[in-house]
């Protein structure tokens, strides 16, 4: 049997505030620092910084290749409401079937 490779210890997932993300994006967009400099100085990953920049451009309206932050928030709320409504419909179906049996 093949041995499993030991996994490298991953550091805990970090959470960044919207203000911090905006400051990082602003540093890059104003030309004060390049993405590699920001990555090195703040111990971030290249992909996350570039993702923040793209999202900031979408929110500002300079990119149209995806959803803005407001659109994402609205979509999440609508999906949650849709799930709740589907559950409500399922409950009503069961109640209707139950009461239909009772009246026979």
């Amino acid at each position: 049997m093949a041995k499993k490779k030991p996994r490298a210890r991953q550091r805990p997932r970090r959470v960044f505030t919207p203000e911090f993300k905006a400051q990082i994006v602003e540093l890059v967009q104003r030309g004060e620092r390049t993405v590699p400099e920001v990555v090195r100085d703040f111990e971030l990953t290249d992909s996350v910084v570039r993702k923040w920049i793209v999202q900031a451009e979408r929110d500002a309206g300079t990119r149209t290749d995806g959803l803005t932050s407001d659109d994402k928030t609205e979509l999440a709320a609508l999906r949650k409401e849709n799930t709740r409504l589907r559950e409500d419909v399922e409950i009503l179906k069961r109640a209707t079937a139950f009461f239909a049996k009772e009246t026979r």
Side-chain angles (χ1 to χ4, degrees):
M1 238 182 190
K3 291 184 181 179
K4 291 185 178 180
K5 293 181 183 178
R7 290 189 177 183
R9 295 187 85 189
Q10 294 180 347
R11 65 177 153 176
R13 185 177 178 129
R14 297 184 293 171
V15 178
F16 301 100
T17 64
E19 294 80 16
F20 177 77
K21 293 176 185 180
Q23 288 174 345
I24 296 297
V25 169
E26 190 175 335
L27 284 174
V28 174
Q29 288 180 337
R30 279 194 274 149
E32 292 180 17
R33 294 193 181 163
T34 64
V35 172
E37 290 172 342
V38 169
V39 166
R40 183 182 61 249
D41 294 346
F42 293 94
E43 296 180 5
L44 302 168
T45 61
D46 185 72
S47 61
V48 77
V49 173
R50 292 187 188 282
K51 181 177 144 188
W52 293 346
I53 293 168
V54 168
Q55 190 61 51
E57 290 171 350
R58 286 180 185 140
D59 292 344
T62 57
R63 289 183 75 122
T64 58
D65 62 340
L67 298 175
T68 65
S69 295
D70 291 339
D71 291 342
K72 287 181 180 183
T73 302
E74 182 182 9
L75 182 58
L78 289 172
R79 285 182 174 162
K80 186 175 181 179
E81 182 182 7
N82 193 13
T83 300
R84 186 186 57 78
L85 292 172
R86 287 179 190 270
E87 291 170 355
D88 289 351
V89 167
E90 188 61 33
I91 290 169
L92 290 172
K93 283 181 183 178
R94 290 180 186 167
T96 302
F98 175 78
F99 289 116
K101 287 180 184 178
E102 291 293 317
T103 58
R104 288 184 185 175

